[in-house]
């Protein structure tokens, strides 16, 4: 599931924080004091929709949104989860303002038989705002072989933006020549683990 919020300025505080120089935060299911029943319900709902979806939306063949406006019960559960005060406080603290929810999706990445990556499978930054937080919740276990989300820390991404001739509107893996393999953060994990990431500050790919 992907939750997407963005925005503008005020001061908030949270015990769990996204470090600005990193631009992302990984929270394991076992270490975050959220309502476990609600989290498990969201995962169960998502698996049900995944196994029973007949339609999907989006222009990318490799990334399909299978959440529909008809899925009212599931959407209510997702909103109760993502709008939990503990999550909102983390986002507020990073954005320094009240966040605005602008997207809620249940994303499915079908297996692609060839090795030709395109679009958001290549490194890019989002430019909807100065700061954007997307929250990715795994509904299945994610490993190196299942197309994990990857990103480059915000401070390194900023250096690349300022000191290279890269086209910032481009989706490309050309930035790999400015980094070492160890600077690519790969977000593998178990069902229920979450990744908070500022996709405008961090080069990322899925």
């Amino acid at each position: 599931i992907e939750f997407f919020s963005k925005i503008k300025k005020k001061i908030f505080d949270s015990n769990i924080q996204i470090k600005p120089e990193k631009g992302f935060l990984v929270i394991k299911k076992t270490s975050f004091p959220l309502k476990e029943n609600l989290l498990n319900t969201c995962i169960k709902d998502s698996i049900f929709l995944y196994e029973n979806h007949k339609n999907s939306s989006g222009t990318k063949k490799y990334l399909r949104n299978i959440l529909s406006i008809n899925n009212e019960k599931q959407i209510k559960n997702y909103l109760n989860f993502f709008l939990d005060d503990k999550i909102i406080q983390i986002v507020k603290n990073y954005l320094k303002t009240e966040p605005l929810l602008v997207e809620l999706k249940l994303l499915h990445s079908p297996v692609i038989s060839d090795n030709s990556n395109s679009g958001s499978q290549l490194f890019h930054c989002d430019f909807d705002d100065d700061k954007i937080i997307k929250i990715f919740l795994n509904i299945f276990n994610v490993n190196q072989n299942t197309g994990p989300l990857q990103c480059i820390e915000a401070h390194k991404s900023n250096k690349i933006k300022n000191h290279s001739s890269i086209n910032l509107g481009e989706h490309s893996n050309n930035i790999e020549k400015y980094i070492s393999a160890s600077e690519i953060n790969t977000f593998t994990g178990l069902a229920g683990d979450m990744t908070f990431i500022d996709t405008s500050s961090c080069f990322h790919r899925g």
Side-chain angles (χ1 to χ4, degrees), residues 18 77 128 173:
I18 304 168
N77 288 333
D128 303 79
N173 286 335

Side-chain angles (χ1 to χ4, degrees), residues 10 21 27 34 43 46 57 69 109 161 167-168 190 194 204:
K10 251 186 192 177
E21 67 273 16
I27 298 181
L34 274 177
I43 293 173
S46 300
S57 62
I69 57 172
S109 296
K161 291 176 187 177
N167 177 356
L168 295 180
L190 302 178
M194 286 185 291
H204 61 285

Side-chain angles (χ1 to χ4, degrees), residues 12-18 25 27 32 84-96 133 135 194 196:
F12 299 93
D13 195 22
S14 170
N15 292 329
I16 305 173
Q17 298 187 9
I18 304 168
L25 171 70
I27 298 181
F32 196 46
D84 182 276
D85 188 60
K86 296 181 181 69
I87 288 181
I88 294 300
Q89 288 301 322
I90 293 172
V91 178
K92 280 182 181 179
N93 178 267
Y94 182 78
L95 296 178
K96 307 304 182 190
I133 289 294
I135 305 173
M194 286 185 291
F196 294 64

Side-chain angles (χ1 to χ4, degrees), residues 64 170 200:
R64 310 299 299 167
E170 175 179 54
S200 67

Side-chain angles (χ1 to χ4, degrees), residues 2 32 35 42 45 51 58 62 64 67 91 106 113 130 140 151 159 162 169 187 189 193:
E2 177 189 0
F32 196 46
K35 301 165 186 166
C42 289
D45 283 351
E51 292 176 343
Y62 55 84
R64 310 299 299 167
L67 186 63
V91 178
L106 177 59
S113 55
D130 295 333
F140 296 115
C151 89
K159 285 183 180 179
N162 293 334
F187 304 113
D193 292 351

Side-chain angles (χ1 to χ4, degrees), residues 107-158:
L107 296 174
H108 170 221
S109 296
V111 174
I112 296 178
S113 55
D114 59 41
N115 291 319
S116 58
N117 294 328
S118 61
S120 56
Q121 294 175 308
L122 306 173
F123 276 120
H124 64 285
C125 284
D126 298 332
F127 295 101
D128 303 79
D129 211 322
D130 295 333
K131 285 187 175 182
I132 299 169
I133 289 294
K134 290 187 179 181
I135 305 173
F136 295 86
L137 169 64
N138 296 343
I139 65 166
F140 296 115
N141 296 345
V142 177
N143 60 38
Q144 293 280 0
N145 298 318
T146 52
L149 175 68
Q150 294 183 316
C151 89
I152 300 166
E153 290 187 359
H155 75 93
K156 182 65 178 183
S157 295
N158 193 49

